Amino acid sequence: MAPVVSDAVSRREARMRGAARSLFLELGYRVSMDAVAQRAGVSKQTVYAHFGDKQQLFKCVVLQMLESDAPPPGDDGELRDDLVAFARAHLTNIYRADSVAACRMLIGEAARFPAEALALYEAAAARIQVRLKARLSRAVGSGQLRDVDLQSAADLLLGMLDGTDHHRRLFGLAGRDGVEIDDWSDFAVDAFLRAFSIEFATSTRKQS
């Protein structure tokens, strides 16, 4: 019988985490424990028993958000193909409604929870930069890219990809979607490669 009880507790905790996440994303830190309990279909005492207080519950929600991020750039094909695939996955990930809501929430609560805000940044933006730098480093080593500062190159590509679209979404405005994301990914990656690829530099010199 013990596994049955354990499964029930696990499902109940998952409901509470899910309820808390959706409410924090909707309302920010002003969410009440009563609201979490009501949405999860449990008593307020049960929420307190599992998480202690609202601050601990908020931290649990943030940690849950850290578990998902965009896949790293691939290394199985041509450099352009790998970067375009990465760009599309990255933009699709950060443009998701829950990702935008999470950014709004953490921006609003960063002063109250600096450690959690830093953890979310490092798990998302900083981790993406590290993975992108690794792919660019391999491209430099194989003679596909000029030997440049990898941090600056990764920052530049990510900045080109995000453009102002993410800011528009943070303000509740419409942004690129579907085919527009694909087209923008192609455009940004091609602009990046025109600046840094050895193949492009060589072809330019031959034309001149």
Side-chain angles (χ1 to χ4, degrees):
M1 297 298 295
V4 175
V5 174
S6 178
D7 289 345
V9 171
S10 179
R11 288 194 298 270
R12 187 168 57 200
E13 183 171 340
R15 288 204 313 273
M16 289 186 288
R17 287 176 181 269
R21 174 171 176 155
S22 62
L23 284 167
F24 278 127
L25 291 178
E26 290 170 19
L27 304 173
Y29 194 71
R30 64 180 180 273
V31 169
S32 70
M33 298 291 265
D34 281 318
V36 174
Q38 183 176 3
R39 182 167 294 193
V42 300
S43 68
K44 184 169 67 172
Q45 289 73 20
T46 299
V47 179
Y48 277 108
H50 275 78
F51 300 102
D53 56 27
K54 187 166 73 169
Q55 183 170 353
Q56 292 303 315
L57 177 58
F58 181 82
K59 290 181 179 180
C60 287
V61 168
V62 172
L63 290 175
Q64 187 178 48
M65 292 176 184
L66 304 184
E67 295 175 357
S68 61
D69 58 355
D75 199 18
D76 299 326
E78 295 294 330
L79 176 61
R80 182 185 183 279
D81 294 340
D82 288 343
L83 293 181
V84 166
F86 160 76
R88 293 176 178 179
H90 169 64
L91 292 181
T92 299
N93 187 56
I94 67 170
Y95 289 167
R96 291 198 328 262
D98 60 337
S99 295
V100 174
C103 285
R104 290 195 191 109
M105 180 184 71
L106 264 297
I107 290 171
E109 304 298 341
R112 189 196 305 264
F113 297 100
E116 286 72 28
L118 177 61
L120 186 60
Y121 173 80
E122 290 179 341
R127 186 183 301 177
I128 290 170
Q129 288 175 331
V130 168
R131 292 173 170 179
L132 182 55
K133 281 170 57 180
R135 181 63 183 94
L136 298 179
S137 178
R138 292 191 293 273
V140 170
S142 63
Q144 295 173 287
L145 288 183
R146 293 191 288 111
D147 188 6
V148 297
D149 179 77
L150 294 174
Q151 180 67 53
S152 297
D155 284 348
L156 179 61
L157 179 54
L158 288 171
M160 292 167 66
L161 289 174
D162 294 350
T164 59
D165 214 29
H166 197 237
H167 291 92
R168 285 198 292 269
R169 291 170 187 269
L170 289 175
F171 282 93
L173 305 176
R176 300 182 188 92
D177 202 3
V179 175
E180 292 177 324
I181 290 178
D182 293 347
D183 291 343
W184 182 257
S185 298
D186 292 345
F187 179 80
V189 168
D190 287 342
F192 176 83
L193 291 176
R194 280 195 294 273
F196 295 110
S197 74
I198 289 179
E199 180 180 355
F200 176 81
T202 302
S203 64
T204 302
R205 284 197 297 271
K206 287 180 179 179
Q207 291 173 5
S208 62

